[in-house]
Amino acid sequence: MDFVCLKDISLTDPTINKTTATTTVTLTTRIKQQASFDLTLQYQDPILPEYLPLIRLAFCMPLLNYGLFTEKFTLKFPVSFADVSLLNDFNTVFASETYIHELVRPKAPYLVQGYQISEEDANPADAKPKSTFQPSTIAIDTPLQKDFDTRRCGILSSGGKESLTTYGMLKELGIDVHPLYVNESGGHWRTAMTAYRYHEKNEPNTNRVWTNVDRFYLFMLDHLPFIKKDHRQIRADVYPIRMSIFPYYVFALMPIFAQRRIGNLLLGSEFDDLRMTPSFKGLMDYYGIYDQDVSFDRRMNLWYGRRLPGMVQWSALRPVTGLIVERILFSRYPELAKNQRSCHSCHIEGEEVIPCGTCSKCMGILLFLSANKIDPRIINYTQQAIDSFPNRVKSSNLKLDQDEKDQSFYLMEGGSGPEIKSIDHVERIHDGPSCSMSYVPEQFRDMLLSIIEQHTKGYCVLKDGEWIPSSSPRQVSSLTMRKASREP
């Protein structure tokens, strides 16, 4: 089945006007019809001209969702060898993820009838990107910034439990920490508003970037013939054709990291139970969350070494489950915890942001809170949502690892019932190829563990496909880490 419907997606060289950067995205169909969209980033401080290459790359990142649907990406500006290598690697990964999770295994009814590919008919060769990046020129790699402060940390912040917990731990440890937000102009910002207002009031290092990227995604869907024309009216927990999300946020914030010399970029990625290398018909399968996988960090760190030497990307929470993240946040940082909003459909009542209480994200949060004996009203869940939760959760399709789900039910039910068994590793600190604390810079590792250990039941290591209790963390050698890499 041929999904290539565009001859070209082009980007103009971004223009910078004080705090605003804009590029024009132009789509050209195979019959040479064109449509354009002005993609914008707006900063709180003036954009320094030397960071134009970072802005250029930021605007490239949303295009990675469409590598299966266009013949080429035309960049009307130069990029370096490291830049184009990064774009090509990402293009390969996200094309494969799009093929598997948007066309073969779509999670919501956005495809026009007849376009979904059956698993039997799926062909790995069709998952390769049909496009290439064609910049005006390819330049030599030169550092865009040096002299990063390796003690300074910037957090990609969203108002979710992971970014708030990461902030709380680093702040407790006396680290210079910067909560950095991206306002995507759509409904997502409602989930971040409460935490942003808190940080803006209490943390001088807080900063925000505004962008209209959510509107761009809708523009693209309007021009993909295999997406239903009424896609805006379809209510679902996921959005169509959107596998590449976090790379845009990361690069949108990068001028702030460079200007402030912030040496550590932290994502709120938590534990994901991948006990073996997943694949689909020989294709590497990241379950649609490559940009939350440690492979994304590793690939970015290679790029930082060429273009922003001294900067590294990591997560403090990959070794622990969401159940534990909530436990740390509410028991240790109650004032921060009040600002958590994790919901696909938040709404505003007066000045308060209210979670819907029914989407898959809310159901997971309510389960974690119930398991930890935390009152959901603290973060504005309604009494009706709380009272109806026990009945609704039994039939819901929770998007959680099975063990994490089972252990949460075990704790919620107080360990009662013949079919409820404890899953020990869920409350431990995991040490495996994709979740080792060895990925945390050494200067922070022991300090963070000193906090996490107080809310967990020890350590576990991955052995023969099972999580085995361990008395202490295992140091993973660089050789082992390279062998464990799932990068393309």
Side-chain angles (χ1 to χ4, degrees):
M1 190 177 298
D2 186 8
F3 283 87
V4 178
C5 52
L6 299 171
K7 191 170 186 62
D8 182 38
I9 302 178
S10 70
L11 286 183
T12 60
D13 200 6
T15 58
I16 295 177
N17 183 9
K18 297 180 180 178
T19 60
T20 302
T22 302
T23 186
T24 298
V25 186
T26 299
L27 314 182
T28 303
T29 69
R30 284 179 155 179
I31 58 173
K32 297 185 178 180
Q33 293 179 334
Q34 290 190 331
S36 296
F37 184 94
D38 289 339
L39 185 57
T40 299
L41 283 163
Q42 188 168 16
Y43 293 81
Q44 294 181 326
D45 301 307
I47 304 166
L48 299 182
E50 57 262 39
Y51 299 143
L52 176 59
L54 299 176
I55 299 292
R56 287 167 171 162
L57 279 178
F59 284 137
C60 290
M61 296 300 144
L63 304 190
L64 294 164
N65 290 295
Y66 314 107
L68 287 178
F69 315 126
T70 185
E71 295 179 11
K72 63 179 178 177
F73 296 120
T74 300
L75 309 180
K76 298 180 179 180
F77 47 81
V79 297
S80 80
F81 284 101
D83 299 345
V84 76
S85 175
L86 182 74
L87 290 171
N88 286 332
D89 283 351
F90 281 174
N91 196 25
T92 298
V93 171
F94 287 116
S96 180
E97 291 290 279
T98 297
Y99 183 79
I100 297 170
H101 297 286
E102 302 280 20
L103 304 181
V104 179
R105 297 172 174 171
K107 295 181 176 65
Y110 288 103
L111 292 178
V112 171
Q113 187 174 2
Y115 274 96
Q116 183 176 344
I117 303 168
S118 69
E119 296 206 14
E120 294 75 18
D121 293 336
N123 184 347
D126 293 337
K128 296 179 181 179
K130 307 303 181 285
S131 56
T132 58
F133 281 90
Q134 300 184 15
S136 61
T137 57
I138 300 180
I140 61 172
D141 294 324
T142 55
L144 301 172
Q145 185 56 271
K146 297 179 181 179
D147 304 321
F148 283 91
D149 187 338
T150 59
R151 300 163 298 176
R152 193 169 293 168
C153 293
I155 303 173
L156 184 59
S157 300
S158 65
K161 63 185 185 299
E162 297 85 7
S163 60
L164 287 171
T165 303
T166 301
Y167 173 82
M169 292 194 298
L170 293 175
K171 196 70 176 177
E172 178 183 347
L173 295 170
I175 293 167
D176 184 11
V177 57
H178 300 242
L180 305 175
Y181 288 81
V182 177
N183 178 349
E184 317 99 310
S185 75
H188 291 111
W189 182 241
R190 286 197 294 270
T191 68
M193 281 174 56
T194 303
Y196 173 73
R197 288 169 179 169
Y198 171 86
H199 275 136
E200 187 181 34
K201 180 179 178 180
N202 296 283
E203 175 54 72
N205 289 332
T206 303
N207 207 298
R208 177 181 67 168
V209 178
W210 180 90
T211 177
N212 61 347
V213 70
D214 269 16
R215 300 171 196 172
F216 169 71
Y217 292 138
L218 293 174
F219 162 81
M220 288 300 303
L221 293 178
D222 288 338
H223 292 86
L224 297 178
F226 48 86
I227 296 294
K228 292 179 180 178
K229 297 300 182 185
D230 62 347
H231 60 86
R232 285 177 171 82
Q233 281 69 54
I234 298 174
R235 295 187 63 83
D237 282 352
V238 295
Y239 299 95
I241 319 300
R242 207 176 301 187
M243 291 288 106
S244 174
I245 299 175
F246 287 102
Y248 181 66
Y249 302 159
V250 167
F251 275 93
L253 292 172
M254 218 165 278
I256 300 173
F257 279 84
Q259 187 165 352
R260 295 186 178 186
R261 309 295 201 275
I262 302 171
N264 298 273
L265 189 155
L266 280 84
L267 300 176
S269 305
E270 63 187 8
F271 176 71
D272 191 23
D273 196 358
L274 300 176
R275 304 187 195 187
M276 59 189 71
T277 302
S279 64
F280 173 76
K281 290 196 171 184
L283 298 170
M284 197 73 75
D285 183 4
Y286 295 92
Y287 294 114
I289 52 171
Y290 168 79
D291 51 14
Q292 299 173 52
D293 188 271
V294 72
S295 294
F296 174 55
D297 291 353
R298 282 197 291 252
R299 184 59 187 90
M300 285 300 303
N301 285 334
L302 290 174
W303 183 85
Y304 294 135
R306 301 286 293 275
R307 299 289 268 162
L308 296 172
M311 186 173 168
V312 292
Q313 179 174 307
W314 51 283
S315 169
L317 297 172
R318 276 210 182 86
V320 295
T321 61
L323 175 74
I324 299 301
V325 174
E326 290 286 31
R327 182 179 300 171
I328 296 172
L329 177 60
F330 278 82
S331 62
R332 203 169 190 102
Y333 314 111
E335 289 304 309
L336 269 181
K338 293 176 184 177
N339 301 284
Q340 179 190 334
R341 299 292 183 273
S342 300
C343 174
H344 290 298
S345 302
C346 283
H347 65 278
I348 299 174
E349 295 181 8
E351 294 186 359
E352 290 292 322
V353 177
I354 311 296
C356 72
T358 59
C359 70
S360 62
K361 199 141 194 175
C362 281
M363 296 298 283
I365 296 301
L366 286 167
L367 179 60
F368 291 153
L369 296 180
S370 298
N372 282 306
K373 305 299 186 286
I374 298 166
D375 186 352
R377 290 176 297 182
I378 296 172
I379 53 176
N380 282 1
Y381 280 104
T382 65
Q383 193 62 50
Q384 180 183 2
I386 296 168
D387 292 341
S388 63
F389 170 72
N391 291 326
R392 290 186 291 115
V393 74
K394 293 176 183 177
S395 60
S396 69
N397 183 21
L398 288 166
K399 296 178 181 179
L400 301 173
D401 292 326
Q402 189 63 47
D403 285 359
E404 189 173 10
K405 187 190 313 183
D406 290 345
Q407 181 65 5
S408 297
F409 279 120
Y410 173 83
L411 294 174
M412 187 174 73
E413 299 294 335
S416 62
E419 297 182 0
I420 301 176
K421 297 181 180 179
S422 176
I423 311 295
D424 176 77
H425 79 85
V426 173
E427 296 186 70
R428 291 179 176 269
I429 302 170
H430 297 79
D431 191 0
S434 64
C435 57
S436 174
M437 283 298 287
S438 297
Y439 296 117
V440 175
E442 189 173 359
Q443 61 176 318
F444 303 113
R445 193 179 306 153
D446 289 343
M447 293 191 295
L448 289 168
L449 281 174
S450 70
I451 294 175
I452 297 171
E453 285 174 341
Q454 297 177 46
H455 303 274
T456 50
K457 296 182 177 180
Y459 294 84
C460 59
V461 296
L462 189 61
K463 185 177 181 180
D464 298 328
E466 297 294 331
W467 291 109
I468 307 300
S470 174
S471 58
S472 62
R474 171 175 55 89
Q475 296 298 310
V476 180
S477 70
S478 59
L479 177 61
T480 302
M481 290 164 67
R482 287 196 298 271
K483 287 181 177 179
S485 172
R486 299 193 291 136
E487 294 162 1

